[in-house]
Amino acid sequence: MTKFAKYLPALTWLKHYQGADLKNDTVASIVFTIMVIPQSLAYAMLAGLPAITGLYASILPSILYSLFGTSRSLAVGPVALTSVMTASAVLPFAVSGSEQYASVAILLAFLSGVFLLVLSLLRLGFLTNLLSHPVISGFISASALLIVIGQLKYLLGIQSEGDTLLPLVSSLFAHLGDINLPTFILSVSSIASLLLMRRYFINLLKALGCSDSFVQLFGKSGPVLVVIAATVTVATLSLDNMGVSIIGAVPNKLLGLNIEGISWDMIKALFPSAFLISIVGFIGSVSVAQSFAAKRRQDIDPNQELVGLGLANIGSAFSGAFPVTGGFSRTVLNTDCGSKSPMTGIISALLILLTILFLTPLFYYLPKAILASIISISMMQLVSVEDLRNLWRFSKKEAYLLIITFSVVMIEGMETGLIAGVILSILFFLWHTSHPHIAIVGRLPGTEQFRNVQRFSVETNPSILTVRIDENLFFANARVFEERLQSLVSQDPAIRHLILMCTAINMIDASALQSLEKIVDRLADSNVKLHLSEVKGPIMDRLKQSSLLDNLSGQVFITQHQAIQALETKQTNE
Amino acid sequence: MTKFAKYLPALTWLKHYQGADLKNDTVASIVFTIMVIPQSLAYAMLAGLPAITGLYASILPSILYSLFGTSRSLAVGPVALTSVMTASAVLPFAVSGSEQYASVAILLAFLSGVFLLVLSLLRLGFLTNLLSHPVISGFISASALLIVIGQLKYLLGIQSEGDTLLPLVSSLFAHLGDINLPTFILSVSSIASLLLMRRYFINLLKALGCSDSFVQLFGKSGPVLVVIAATVTVATLSLDNMGVSIIGAVPNKLLGLNIEGISWDMIKALFPSAFLISIVGFIGSVSVAQSFAAKRRQDIDPNQELVGLGLANIGSAFSGAFPVTGGFSRTVLNTDCGSKSPMTGIISALLILLTILFLTPLFYYLPKAILASIISISMMQLVSVEDLRNLWRFSKKEAYLLIITFSVVMIEGMETGLIAGVILSILFFLWHTSHPHIAIVGRLPGTEQFRNVQRFSVETNPSILTVRIDENLFFANARVFEERLQSLVSQDPAIRHLILMCTAINMIDASALQSLEKIVDRLADSNVKLHLSEVKGPIMDRLKQSSLLDNLSGQVFITQHQAIQALETKQTNE
């Protein structure tokens, strides 16, 4: 059972699942389903697909994640970031709205799913760590801003094209004369109502004397009411005849993968996008899952999450939909509705299926401007200046990293921006480690502690130089380290012993070993002995595999204190 | 003066330069020039250019480096690795032997020079550190082997094409029936004589009663004698009429950059090659310069080396030649000939100019097979199995890195191999740091020293958990670190204090800071206080810029000993 449970985490919670839980989860699922529908429709529109595919993407993926994922709270389905990344990945291959477009989006979901499974199989989840905090922050802010600008065409009822700042803005300006007044009024009033609802709806319900449990259940249903009100308004006033764009009739068949339109070259060309979408989706999802797990003292297994999300994406592809992942706002909704287990994911999936089968006519008059309003408001919350301000205080360099990522995303697009950010993070890190902090240390009087001579008043011995290298020794700094030691020793002819204090060395690679061997040789020529102290266990094991210790002119001491005592005693005896 | 001398290092040695030095350097230069000519011609052939351009590439570059470089021994000119990299970079753009080919090679030299100067200006020399020891080793072995295989067409007198293993070998096999017997005999006898000369020539000279100084000067002139003997043989027996390929008439004009053939697209396409050639050339050159400098207790300034080599390449472009750098065999020759200062670089440049002006007819009958023999023998020395064996013992992972780099160079070409090696080095390193060694430590009885509980028998306190993280905290491991701490604490409900012992932490970036903040929050929820000990000065300065210390539930202790004492005292009082 435990072995099965590792691969099918649902077994763990299903074991203790009882009738009362089912009752609770069913109520939660009904409310959740009603509230999540507008969001799902909106994100499908963001992906450039018919709004209904947002519902397709909420059935199989949600069930598969509930069975194979390790989070008890996470809600999986269409999410803003991966949806807009889908749009910008698919656009080069097909015209928005065409069958080919849907095929490519489906293929993308499939490839993303496969990538996630491969990452899990090869235990390559660590690759997701490459996205550093400043890069993610810059990426999210810029993408959210781009999304909002991209929604302006729906909010204003005009044409516009492009998925980066300049084309978007210039195309918006070119069509600024075509603003559709009814659409504009609808947008302004829906944005205003959404903002007001967010701030005052709960208080209003309380003031109206609703029970606490009712307020908790429906406190966030503001968007649903706005959607209903707008749809009814459009239908009764026939605003669609006055240029207001509506969802319209929903195709009664699933979109499928059109195999004929797919070539191996296209698959190869989609690889990078699929990879980035799966990584970005995975990181976002795991961080949401972890923060909810911490609140409930539960555990998340990142490797199994790759499986859960991978299967969810493959499920989405087989549903004729686009890449999905675990979303923050979906998960908040899910918890607010009182979900206690992944069973809500399964029940709400079934409810959405019923909706598709019987209720799609209700969406006929739903205006696109309302969905755009919902998207815009939730995206504006993701644009964070606060983050930049904190970073600026902590590290200018990382703040620049955020700014650069932000700018490249805005100007060159999401993928280029993300890749540029990752490459820069790595280069910044390598630059840092290739300029290692090397401290000359001495003994704190009366202790066995050794500290930087520049920061503490410590005792030193003129013929013994102790150098603490505050960095791993590896290819990026091996040559620098070699040069620095040579110049330190050459500055003072009194030095007879050089002790390398290795407290901070966690890794030595072959390049550093080569440098160490050169240093031993060169110091021997200048009659200086090289000693090592405080070498960590794993490093010592490693050095024993090389010939360095055989050729070492000095000794290896466990502690720096012992090293100084031994060398000073030797000196007195000489 | 000192300020000038920084930018024009020649001023430093010219200040003390005397008549006797000039006399010594002139003799050294004459011998050096005679011996270096065959090598220079051979490497031009390797670059796919007329042999004479090897001499063009030895004039201005050598003078410019002598003035602007910081090594007193380094000899700059055509070098095997950069020459063959030139050939493989130029081939996609032009047919070997065409005017266009020469233009592209010249452009490549110019771009390489500009790159080196830019790296110097932006202080980006650290980028060269990205080439780790295993990658360089695999790259050099594979390139040398490819070069030797590429020379077989000259050694056998047949046609062959391609610059990677499979095309080269298949094309050699296809033409194996066309072997030219006179060429083959010439090759075999010249390789045999070269090998014999290398081993026995010095002893032979001594046995013939030559003076020690004569032996020292001419002990390495074997290749020159073989070249002369072969040229005379070909000329007297008219072997060129029997299919032996010879240098032939030397064009009496400099090759120039054909501006019309150059487009901006071509420049962009050459960028990566120019970058890699300059980096590979720079690394090789600096390592040669440093090893010779160490022997003479002199200093090398890597940043000024970028300037010296950059100007040398631009000089080579203006001479109608190809990328150059400081070479190992050139420098050995230079030192063996008795060079004492960079003046030999200037004098031998002038001697080569005289050679071009008056002595080129002497090269008419020089057979290409001889140059190929010289190349092949010097390349075979670069193929090192020893290196792989040592690496295998030290670190399997790095040995695989060498093998992969080697294989990709052989199969996909030099540039792809080098790039693959660099990316893999970085990924290996990030993989390593993203799986940090986290040790639980306790006190060595009776000391102030703290060690890993798994390696030493130490004292611990059940309510205090001390964790030493043996790695920098940054984006690549921040999330892993977060997960590990959470799981450590959750395993033992008795823990009330968690001390992070930060001896080995040299860097904390914003991603790690964010993780630390999350850890503080989560531990507070489980009623565990987080303390820090042994935080390094620079890290402490950095943390003070953030809000972490304000929100810290515990304290910051200078030493781990103080931390334990304080927390244990507090416990007793409670």
Side-chain angles (χ1 to χ4, degrees):
Chain A
M1 179 75 177
T2 38
K3 199 158 185 193
F4 273 122
K6 199 183 159 202
Y7 297 106
L8 193 65
L11 293 178
T12 316
W13 58 263
L14 274 173
K15 213 164 47 176
H16 309 288
Y17 202 73
Q18 295 172 341
D21 297 324
L22 185 63
K23 200 183 137 204
N24 169 75
D25 285 341
T26 307
V27 176
S29 299
I30 294 171
V31 186
F32 172 70
T33 307
I34 295 170
M35 303 225 247
V36 88
I37 284 177
Q39 202 188 82
S40 304
L41 298 172
Y43 293 158
M45 199 172 85
L46 202 52
L49 288 162
I52 193 76
T53 46
L55 299 187
Y56 297 158
S58 309
I59 305 173
L60 263 186
S62 177
I63 295 175
L64 287 166
Y65 180 82
S66 295
L67 297 175
F68 292 95
T70 59
S71 165
R72 309 262 174 110
S73 323
L74 195 69
V76 169
V79 159
L81 270 185
T82 50
S83 297
V84 71
M85 285 177 85
T86 300
S88 78
V90 177
L91 264 178
F93 296 96
V95 181
S96 185
S98 67
E99 261 193 42
Q100 171 79 350
Y101 189 98
S103 279
V104 179
I106 291 166
L107 180 61
L108 199 60
F110 183 77
L111 291 176
S112 303
V114 170
F115 261 124
L116 290 166
L117 292 181
V118 168
L119 287 180
S120 159
L121 275 177
L122 302 182
R123 305 253 147 197
L124 285 178
F126 84 94
L127 282 179
T128 60
N129 293 341
L130 293 185
L131 292 185
S132 63
H133 172 67
V135 170
I136 294 181
S137 178
F139 173 74
I140 290 182
S141 288
S143 306
L145 215 52
L146 279 181
I147 292 175
V148 173
I149 297 171
Q151 295 306 303
L152 286 176
K153 63 179 169 191
Y154 297 115
L155 295 174
L156 303 175
I158 61 179
Q159 294 287 316
S160 97
E161 272 150 26
D163 56 356
T164 55
L165 189 63
L166 299 182
L168 267 176
V169 169
S170 69
S171 132
L172 279 174
F173 269 99
H175 295 92
L176 217 50
D178 313 337
I179 290 182
N180 178 271
L181 198 62
T183 307
F184 183 65
I185 294 171
L186 211 57
S187 303
V188 171
S189 44
S190 70
I191 288 180
S193 345
L194 285 167
L195 289 176
L196 289 172
M197 288 240 178
R198 162 173 297 169
R199 187 161 291 181
Y200 303 111
F201 191 54
I202 289 179
N203 293 339
L204 180 70
L205 288 181
K206 282 184 187 160
L208 289 175
C210 296
S211 72
D212 279 2
S213 59
F214 183 88
V215 170
Q216 218 199 325
L217 257 183
F218 293 100
K220 296 210 173 166
S221 63
V224 179
L225 299 183
V226 174
V227 164
I228 294 172
T231 309
V232 170
T233 310
V234 172
T236 49
L237 301 182
S238 295
L239 290 182
D240 52 322
N241 294 332
M242 298 167 65
V244 171
S245 182
I246 56 171
I247 297 286
V250 165
N252 55 4
K253 68 174 178 76
L254 270 182
L255 296 166
L257 187 61
N258 175 10
I259 302 284
E260 284 163 36
I262 306 296
S263 65
W264 177 241
D265 281 345
M266 182 191 285
I267 293 180
K268 276 201 291 189
L270 280 177
F271 258 43
S273 304
F275 185 67
L276 290 179
I277 289 175
S278 48
I279 295 253
V280 167
F282 175 71
I283 292 177
S285 178
V286 165
S287 89
V288 172
Q290 274 174 336
S291 68
F292 279 84
K295 281 183 199 153
R296 298 191 186 178
R297 301 246 160 282
Q298 291 162 349
D299 213 16
I300 297 297
D301 171 3
N303 205 58
Q304 182 63 28
E305 284 300 284
L306 288 168
V307 176
L309 293 174
L311 292 176
N313 274 293
I314 292 175
S316 188
F318 280 100
S319 319
F322 51 99
V324 295
T325 191
F328 178 70
S329 57
R330 278 183 101 84
T331 307
V332 170
L333 262 189
N334 195 32
T335 322
D336 285 349
C337 292
S339 157
K340 297 270 183 264
S341 84
M343 187 56 90
T344 45
I346 298 173
I347 302 173
S348 77
L350 300 175
L351 293 173
I352 287 179
L353 182 62
L354 292 178
T355 309
I356 295 177
L357 292 177
F358 304 109
L359 303 178
T360 46
L362 293 182
F363 302 136
Y364 187 90
Y365 285 104
L366 175 55
K368 291 184 176 172
I370 302 304
L371 297 181
S373 306
I374 295 175
I375 293 175
S376 302
I377 287 179
S378 72
M379 288 301 105
M380 281 314 293
Q381 294 171 270
L382 295 182
V383 181
S384 160
V385 183
E386 181 68 14
D387 230 18
L388 177 59
R389 204 179 300 130
N390 287 339
L391 252 186
W392 185 259
R393 220 158 44 99
F394 178 70
S395 156
K396 300 268 175 303
K397 211 179 58 187
E398 291 189 82
Y400 283 122
L401 186 56
L402 188 158
I403 295 170
I404 293 171
T405 308
F406 179 90
S407 315
V408 180
V409 170
M410 292 299 280
I411 295 164
E412 293 287 329
M414 301 175 76
E415 292 188 6
T416 315
L418 204 55
I419 292 169
V422 169
I423 292 178
L424 273 182
S425 304
I426 293 177
L427 286 182
F428 276 2
F429 174 71
L430 289 173
W431 185 90
H432 182 97
T433 51
S434 70
H435 293 74
H437 182 247
I438 293 183
I440 297 176
V441 299
R443 178 163 45 193
L444 282 176
T447 72
E448 298 180 7
Q449 305 296 326
F450 290 77
R451 287 290 180 282
N452 191 339
V453 295
Q454 287 172 4
R455 290 180 178 256
F456 296 84
S457 67
V458 289
E459 306 164 345
T460 54
N461 181 317
S463 70
I464 305 173
L465 181 71
T466 304
V467 172
R468 193 189 67 208
I469 301 117
D470 291 349
E471 197 58 72
N472 289 326
L473 289 184
F474 69 113
F475 63 88
N477 58 24
R479 279 185 282 260
V480 178
F481 161 70
E482 204 182 309
E483 282 160 31
R484 294 273 284 279
L485 278 195
Q486 202 165 359
S487 96
L488 272 179
V489 170
S490 70
Q491 279 162 23
D492 186 352
I495 297 167
R496 309 302 295 269
H497 299 279
L498 175 63
I499 308 176
L500 289 188
M501 189 175 165
C502 305
T503 10
I505 300 180
N506 313 305
M507 176 194 184
I508 285 189
D509 75 355
S511 310
L513 184 74
Q514 206 192 24
S515 292
L516 275 175
E517 281 168 350
K518 279 195 212 159
I519 291 166
V520 170
D521 282 353
R522 292 186 195 161
L523 289 181
D525 287 346
S526 16
N527 203 18
V528 174
K529 283 190 174 150
L530 182 74
H531 309 269
L532 305 177
S533 77
E534 312 253 350
V535 182
K536 297 234 171 69
I539 302 293
M540 202 62 203
D541 294 347
R542 176 58 65 91
L543 289 181
K544 283 178 185 154
Q545 309 294 314
S546 77
S547 54
L548 180 77
L549 297 180
D550 305 332
N551 302 332
L552 197 66
S553 49
Q555 294 168 258
V556 180
F557 299 96
I558 292 191
T559 70
Q560 172 61 22
H561 184 62
Q562 286 168 9
I564 289 288
Q565 278 187 318
L567 295 177
E568 286 185 340
T569 313
K570 207 163 148 196
Q571 235 171 9
T572 334
N573 296 345
E574 268 165 11
Chain B
M1 180 74 178
T2 40
K3 197 156 186 194
F4 272 123
K6 199 184 159 203
Y7 297 106
L8 193 64
L11 293 178
T12 316
W13 57 264
L14 274 172
K15 211 164 49 175
H16 307 289
Y17 202 72
Q18 293 172 345
D21 297 325
L22 185 61
K23 200 182 137 205
N24 169 76
D25 284 342
T26 306
V27 175
S29 300
I30 294 171
V31 186
F32 172 70
T33 307
I34 295 170
M35 303 224 251
V36 89
I37 284 177
Q39 201 187 83
S40 305
L41 298 172
Y43 293 158
M45 199 171 85
L46 202 52
L49 288 162
I52 192 76
T53 46
L55 299 187
Y56 296 157
S58 308
I59 304 173
L60 262 187
S62 178
I63 294 175
L64 286 167
Y65 181 82
S66 296
L67 297 175
F68 292 95
T70 59
S71 165
R72 308 264 173 108
S73 322
L74 196 70
V76 169
V79 159
L81 270 185
T82 51
S83 298
V84 72
M85 285 177 86
T86 300
S88 79
V90 176
L91 264 178
F93 296 97
V95 180
S96 185
S98 67
E99 262 194 42
Q100 171 79 351
Y101 189 98
S103 279
V104 179
I106 291 167
L107 179 62
L108 199 61
F110 182 76
L111 291 177
S112 302
V114 170
F115 260 124
L116 289 166
L117 293 180
V118 168
L119 287 181
S120 159
L121 275 177
L122 301 181
R123 305 252 148 198
L124 286 178
F126 84 95
L127 282 180
T128 59
N129 293 341
L130 293 186
L131 292 185
S132 61
H133 172 67
V135 170
I136 294 181
S137 178
F139 174 73
I140 289 181
S141 288
S143 306
L145 214 53
L146 279 180
I147 291 175
V148 172
I149 298 170
Q151 294 306 302
L152 286 175
K153 63 178 169 191
Y154 297 115
L155 295 174
L156 303 174
I158 62 180
Q159 294 287 315
S160 97
E161 272 151 27
D163 55 357
T164 54
L165 188 63
L166 298 182
L168 267 176
V169 169
S170 70
S171 131
L172 279 173
F173 270 98
H175 295 92
L176 216 51
D178 313 337
I179 291 182
N180 179 270
L181 197 64
T183 306
F184 183 65
I185 294 171
L186 210 58
S187 303
V188 171
S189 45
S190 69
I191 288 180
S193 344
L194 286 168
L195 290 176
L196 289 172
M197 289 240 178
R198 163 173 297 168
R199 187 161 292 182
Y200 302 110
F201 190 53
I202 289 182
N203 293 339
L204 179 71
L205 288 180
K206 282 184 186 161
L208 289 175
C210 298
S211 73
D212 278 1
S213 59
F214 183 87
V215 171
Q216 217 200 325
L217 257 182
F218 292 101
K220 297 211 171 166
S221 63
V224 178
L225 298 184
V226 174
V227 164
I228 293 172
T231 308
V232 171
T233 310
V234 172
T236 48
L237 302 182
S238 296
L239 291 183
D240 51 323
N241 293 333
M242 298 168 65
V244 171
S245 184
I246 57 171
I247 296 286
V250 165
N252 56 3
K253 67 174 178 76
L254 270 183
L255 296 165
L257 187 62
N258 175 9
I259 302 283
E260 283 163 37
I262 306 296
S263 65
W264 176 239
D265 280 344
M266 181 190 287
I267 292 180
K268 275 202 290 188
L270 280 176
F271 258 41
S273 304
F275 185 66
L276 289 179
I277 290 175
S278 49
I279 296 252
V280 167
F282 174 71
I283 293 177
S285 179
V286 165
S287 87
V288 172
Q290 274 173 336
S291 67
F292 279 84
K295 282 183 199 154
R296 299 192 186 179
R297 302 247 160 281
Q298 290 163 350
D299 215 15
I300 297 297
D301 171 2
N303 205 58
Q304 182 64 26
E305 284 299 284
L306 288 168
V307 176
L309 293 174
L311 292 176
N313 274 293
I314 292 174
S316 187
F318 280 101
S319 319
F322 53 98
V324 294
T325 191
F328 178 69
S329 58
R330 279 183 100 85
T331 307
V332 170
L333 262 189
N334 195 30
T335 323
D336 284 349
C337 293
S339 156
K340 297 269 183 262
S341 83
M343 186 57 88
T344 44
I346 299 173
I347 301 173
S348 78
L350 299 176
L351 292 173
I352 288 178
L353 182 62
L354 291 178
T355 308
I356 294 176
L357 291 177
F358 304 109
L359 303 179
T360 47
L362 293 182
F363 301 134
Y364 188 89
Y365 286 104
L366 175 56
K368 289 184 178 173
I370 303 303
L371 297 181
S373 306
I374 295 176
I375 293 175
S376 301
I377 287 180
S378 73
M379 287 302 104
M380 280 316 291
Q381 294 171 270
L382 295 182
V383 181
S384 160
V385 183
E386 180 68 14
D387 232 18
L388 177 60
R389 205 179 300 130
N390 287 338
L391 252 186
W392 185 260
R393 221 157 44 98
F394 179 69
S395 154
K396 301 268 174 304
K397 210 179 60 187
E398 290 189 83
Y400 284 121
L401 187 56
L402 188 157
I403 294 170
I404 294 172
T405 308
F406 179 90
S407 314
V408 180
V409 169
M410 291 300 280
I411 295 164
E412 293 286 329
M414 301 175 75
E415 292 187 6
T416 314
L418 204 56
I419 293 169
V422 169
I423 292 178
L424 273 182
S425 305
I426 293 176
L427 286 183
F428 274 4
F429 174 71
L430 289 174
W431 185 90
H432 182 98
T433 52
S434 70
H435 293 74
H437 182 247
I438 293 183
I440 297 177
V441 299
R443 179 164 44 194
L444 282 176
T447 72
E448 298 180 6
Q449 305 295 326
F450 290 78
R451 288 290 181 281
N452 191 339
V453 295
Q454 287 172 4
R455 289 179 179 257
F456 295 84
S457 68
V458 290
E459 307 162 345
T460 53
N461 181 316
S463 70
I464 304 173
L465 181 71
T466 304
V467 172
R468 192 188 68 208
I469 301 116
D470 292 349
E471 198 59 72
N472 289 327
L473 289 183
F474 70 112
F475 63 88
N477 58 24
R479 278 185 282 261
V480 179
F481 161 69
E482 204 182 307
E483 283 159 31
R484 293 273 285 277
L485 279 195
Q486 202 165 358
S487 96
L488 272 178
V489 170
S490 69
Q491 280 162 21
D492 185 354
I495 298 168
R496 309 301 296 268
H497 299 278
L498 175 64
I499 308 176
L500 289 187
M501 188 173 165
C502 305
T503 9
I505 300 180
N506 314 305
M507 177 194 183
I508 286 188
D509 76 354
S511 310
L513 184 74
Q514 206 193 22
S515 292
L516 275 175
E517 281 167 350
K518 279 194 213 158
I519 291 166
V520 170
D521 283 353
R522 293 185 194 162
L523 288 181
D525 286 347
S526 17
N527 203 18
V528 175
K529 284 190 172 150
L530 182 74
H531 310 270
L532 304 177
S533 77
E534 311 254 352
V535 181
K536 297 237 173 68
I539 301 293
M540 202 61 203
D541 294 347
R542 176 57 65 91
L543 290 181
K544 283 178 186 154
Q545 310 294 313
S546 78
S547 54
L548 179 77
L549 298 179
D550 306 332
N551 301 332
L552 198 66
S553 49
Q555 292 168 260
V556 179
F557 299 96
I558 293 190
T559 69
Q560 171 61 21
H561 183 63
Q562 286 168 10
I564 290 288
Q565 278 188 320
L567 294 179
E568 286 184 341
T569 314
K570 209 163 146 194
Q571 235 170 9
T572 336
N573 296 344
E574 269 166 10

